[in-house]
Amino acid sequence: MKEPQYRGVNELRRMFLEFFESKGHLAMKSFSLVPHNDNSLLLINSGMAPLKPYFTGQEIPPRKRVTTCQKCIRTGDIENIGKTARHGTFFEMLGNFSFGDYFKDDAIRWTWEFLTEVVGLDPDRLYPSVYLEDDEAFRIWNEKIGIPAERIFKFGKEDNFWEHGSGPCGPCSEVYYDRGEKYGCGKPGCTVGCDCDRFIEVWNNVFTQFDNDGKGHYTELEHKNIDTGMGLERLAVVVQGVDSLFTVDTNKALLDRVCELAHTEYQKDHETDVSLRIVADHVKSCTFMISDGIMPSNEGRGYVLRRLLRRAARHGRKLGIEGQFMAGLAATVIELSKDGYPELEDNKAMIFKVLEQEEDKFNKTIDQGLSILNDRIADMQAKGENTLAGADAFKLYDTYGFPLDLTREILEEKGYGVDEDGFAAAMKEQKDKARKARKTTNYMGADVTVYQSIDPAITTEFVGYNNLTAESKITVLTTEDEIVEALTDGQRGTVITEQTPFYGTMGGQQGDVGVITGQNGEFKVEDTIHLQGGKVGHVGVMTRGMLQSGNTVTLSVCARNRALTCQNHSATHLLQKALRLVLGEHVKQSGSYVDAGRLRFDFTHFSAMTPEELEKVEELVNQEIRAGLPVETQVMTLDEAKKTGAMALFGEKYGDSVRVVKMGDFSTELCGGTHVANTGSIASFKILSETGIAAGVRRIEALTSEGLMKHYEEVEKELHEAAKTAKTTPAGLSAKIEALLEEIKTLGAENEKLKSKLAKDSLGDVMNQVKEVNGVKVLASQVADVDMNGLRGLGDQLKDKLGEGVVLIASVMDGKVNLMATATDGAQKKGAHAGNLIKAIAGLVGGGGGGRPGMAQAGGKNPAGVEEALKKAVEVVEEQTK
């Protein structure tokens, strides 16, 4: 068997990319390990993953043919890493991709050409496989490439058909390399597909030609794609004739460096080899992850990084490596890999800093954690237990920074397990507690936030009065709970720079929004806030790439949002002066709020404003807007400002120098906010409401320019909707409403007449039910489905019929009881009292009520008690008139 010519990893990477460039492919640099706009992945784990939008058609690719060498991380089998030489978390995936361009013919031809002619692998040691139903691929390999049929292996769906739920999918064609008998299992039938290490897959062509509807129905895709992948390290294993990915040139050089630090050799002792492989693999992954802006944390991809870092730190200790070693090993990784990934060299200062900080943090607690764990293991031995309690595992995580898999691994080495469900329950309990206690305060009474950990010497200079863009250096980056060296795609956080054109929320004016752009990423600013010690925080989310501390960035304020906010802010100055002119000099600002959409102004005044006063104020403001007054700002001493007659805010503390904002000769105020250059750009002003919010404090809500136009559009839309509902035009709406009201009035009167007639009919002739007690006539009767209004009407009618006496009527309606009693003047003189009568019997119908001597009413929930209540009513009147 012919052995291939030796090629290094960096050389093989270059050869692959250059080969496909020669076939019309665009060679794109590796995408970040942080997925962009893809919530289904924590980390990029394949060459195809970052190209998904091109395959799905959501984005147009830069060219129909693309080639990449993509850095990837897979941590699904982290427990196996180190135990064998097969597993690694970090790998590089070579790929060539076609988006609706070439298909099987070219893809297979170039696979063969690269492997045999460019790399120089022995054709007799290469074996292709195809999906068993893919006759087209079989024919290409057999007839066009010339591989004998018996050397082409047909595999089923499990091996040679790529699909992931519904969506694009298709058959695969792989190429296997025979590494020779020394790697085989020695069994007679050993061939391609055997589980042993003899036949290694080096290339995988995925022919995306179908669409799966998720129910097993496949239709041909109009635009077929090629997604080809080949592990760079696997190719190097074959080309260099070594036993595993750990002994290819670059990884071996890194492993040798770990051996030097540990004063040991590789492949002499299994336990030692496990630790050597873990340290080498994990430090490499960590170096690449940090380079892409991933920072250690307790969730998401930051937690993956922390797990890898701490696992490497522990195995370094097991090997007897003294002191901090990870940054030194990272330097070796950078040296070995910067040929393909220049960003490692660019970001090495950040990589070293993060590794040193994290290793130092872990070193401070690992001894205590190991001591506690050893004590618990001793307890378990004494009690004959073999599982560590979840609460203990959580304490190790929470107090000593031991990720669960590290605790599990240490226990496994000694033959013990851990209660993972108990750990998860303890974790949930802590998160629930933290959520409830989110408003924790420190001894100063302020919210405890990440911002309080920032160096107090760091400050921000505001340069945004005249500029909406600025270049500046990032001094601090934070996530929502810790200071970090970098922020990456999709992360929320805060950016602090030396200078900013972004106005931070202050004096009632909402902070600016916009974008911060660096060479490698973009951050969307959703809010700008002032932090302690003269710092300005840009709060928002990374929309693309990465920003790191020390980067020079371009800060761009959203011009439209700033302009609209300025219009509303300048309008509050005109409003304050107009209020003073109309209402009097006692008017003073006591609060305000302005953003791009509206304005609110609170002021001292002791009664509601009349419509005439509001109209006058509105007209004054609009008059000064139409006058197009120039808006000028000057910085001067407080004494000088007072001489200009500038209005100051009550209770506000001013420094030695203040900013005076002057609008023509109409308004002069002390103000640190941003304003229009001329009042004319405010366009128009409209008061929406004027209300009282506290004793002696009134509030005006108003709109200007775009906000006002939007309001009018909404009002117009509502007007048209109302007219449509009333089956008329907006112009005829008032007349239509008047006509409808008249009609409702007429119908209401008719309805009352009908109800009265129905109630009377329902009661029937009840005069034969009249009883006389102590010379007083009493009529106690029941009627069905009559409301209280109807009962009162009936009572009046019956009273007229009765002449003198007491009337009590009960009605059951919708399962509830209504009682109404009246007593004539004559009956009252004899002692009858309607209010007391109702009080005495209401309890029998499960309710309560009362009223005047002449008329009273009650409601109840117990219809079953009506008969008894009517009977008792006669007894009560008898008692009253004794």
Side-chain angles (χ1 to χ4, degrees), residues 115-135:
L115 291 175
T116 59
E117 295 177 29
V118 179
V119 178
L121 295 183
D122 183 350
D124 294 332
R125 295 174 76 163
L126 293 170
Y127 296 83
S129 75
V130 295
Y131 176 50
L132 52 84
E133 292 175 20
D134 192 356
D135 297 334

Side-chain angles (χ1 to χ4, degrees), residues 368-425:
Q368 288 171 280
L370 286 171
S371 168
I372 299 257
L373 186 51
N374 287 330
D375 288 348
R376 286 298 298 115
I377 289 168
D379 287 349
M380 284 155 63
Q381 277 172 337
K383 291 175 185 170
E385 296 170 355
N386 58 8
T387 305
L388 180 73
D392 290 329
F394 181 72
K395 186 182 178 186
L396 285 166
Y397 161 82
D398 197 38
T399 312
Y400 303 105
F402 278 40
L404 178 62
D405 53 301
L406 186 57
T407 301
R408 188 197 299 124
E409 186 181 307
I410 295 168
L411 288 164
E412 267 177 19
E413 287 168 7
K414 298 178 188 287
Y416 294 97
V418 59
D419 173 14
E420 298 192 23
D421 291 341
F423 176 88

Side-chain angles (χ1 to χ4, degrees), residues 261-263 316-317 319-325 359 363:
L261 293 171
H263 309 294
R317 284 185 157 233
L319 288 166
I321 301 174
E322 289 171 10
Q324 290 194 349
F325 63 90
E359 195 175 358
N363 280 344

Side-chain angles (χ1 to χ4, degrees), residues 485-500:
E485 285 298 309
L487 287 174
T488 63
D489 212 324
Q491 268 192 306
R492 299 198 67 79
T494 302
V495 179
I496 300 172
T497 51
E498 289 175 348
Q499 294 185 316
T500 183

Side-chain angles (χ1 to χ4, degrees), residues 502-784:
F502 282 75
Y503 183 84
T505 299
M506 192 168 60
Q509 179 178 331
Q510 274 301 99
D512 283 324
V513 297
V515 291
I516 297 175
T517 314
Q519 196 178 340
N520 300 313
E522 189 173 273
F523 181 86
K524 182 185 177 190
V525 180
E526 296 170 346
D527 192 13
T528 306
I529 56 175
H530 282 274
L531 303 171
Q532 287 172 319
K535 289 175 269 289
V536 173
H538 307 88
V539 181
V541 63
M542 284 296 301
T543 52
R544 174 179 62 79
M546 167 180 74
L547 290 180
Q548 63 187 90
S549 195
N551 281 169
T552 296
V553 289
T554 303
L555 299 100
S556 308
V557 173
C558 172
R560 181 172 173 273
N561 186 81
R562 165 75 79 87
L564 292 172
T565 306
C566 286
Q567 287 162 6
N568 282 330
H569 192 170
S570 297
T572 61
H573 283 225
L574 298 176
L575 173 61
Q576 174 162 229
K577 180 63 185 218
L579 286 166
R580 285 169 69 83
L581 290 172
V582 172
L583 301 177
E585 294 295 303
H586 64 278
V587 168
K588 290 210 170 37
Q589 179 178 338
S590 61
S592 71
Y593 174 90
V594 293
D595 62 18
R598 65 198 172 102
L599 69 91
R600 188 177 74 212
F601 187 78
D602 300 341
F603 58 98
T604 51
H605 187 54
F606 304 97
S607 60
M609 288 177 70
T610 65
E612 293 75 26
E613 286 169 338
L614 286 167
E615 198 177 316
K616 180 69 182 153
V617 166
E618 206 174 79
E619 177 47 39
L620 266 173
V621 173
N622 279 310
Q623 192 177 295
E624 299 308 323
I625 289 170
R626 288 193 296 275
L629 305 175
V631 178
E632 294 160 352
T633 56
Q634 279 180 292
V635 176
M636 54 183 81
T637 67
L638 188 56
D639 287 341
E640 286 170 336
K642 282 176 180 170
K643 284 174 193 164
T644 69
M647 286 284 296
L649 281 183
F650 176 73
E652 186 78 20
K653 287 180 182 168
Y654 293 101
D656 294 337
S657 60
V658 292
R659 194 162 171 269
V660 176
V661 178
K662 197 167 182 294
M663 299 184 181
D665 294 325
F666 186 72
S667 160
T668 308
E669 285 189 39
L670 294 184
C671 179
T674 61
H675 289 277
V676 295
N678 186 290
T679 60
S681 62
I682 301 170
S684 52
F685 173 84
K686 176 74 185 163
I687 294 172
L688 292 186
S689 65
E690 188 269 353
T691 52
I693 58 162
V697 181
R698 310 293 299 174
R699 169 172 291 172
I700 279 177
E701 304 247 9
L703 298 171
T704 70
S705 61
E706 270 187 40
L708 182 53
M709 290 311 294
K710 195 175 171 190
H711 169 71
Y712 282 145
E713 279 168 23
E714 286 166 6
V715 168
E716 189 179 10
K717 191 177 169 188
E718 283 173 20
L719 179 63
H720 281 282
E721 284 294 321
K724 191 176 163 188
T725 305
K727 296 186 172 59
T728 184
T729 61
L733 193 57
S734 292
K736 184 72 183 235
I737 289 170
E738 281 173 16
L740 287 169
L741 287 172
E742 195 56 46
E743 192 180 331
I744 289 164
K745 193 174 168 187
T746 306
L747 290 170
E750 283 178 22
N751 191 33
E752 285 304 315
K753 273 185 198 169
L754 285 168
K755 275 164 77 176
S756 176
K757 185 177 182 306
L758 281 169
K760 197 173 173 187
D761 292 349
S762 169
L763 189 65
D765 187 10
V766 290
M767 294 313 287
N768 59 357
Q769 294 173 22
V770 175
K771 292 181 180 168
E772 193 166 319
V773 291
N774 300 329
V776 176
K777 291 175 185 172
V778 181
L779 174 57
S781 189
Q782 182 174 359
V783 64

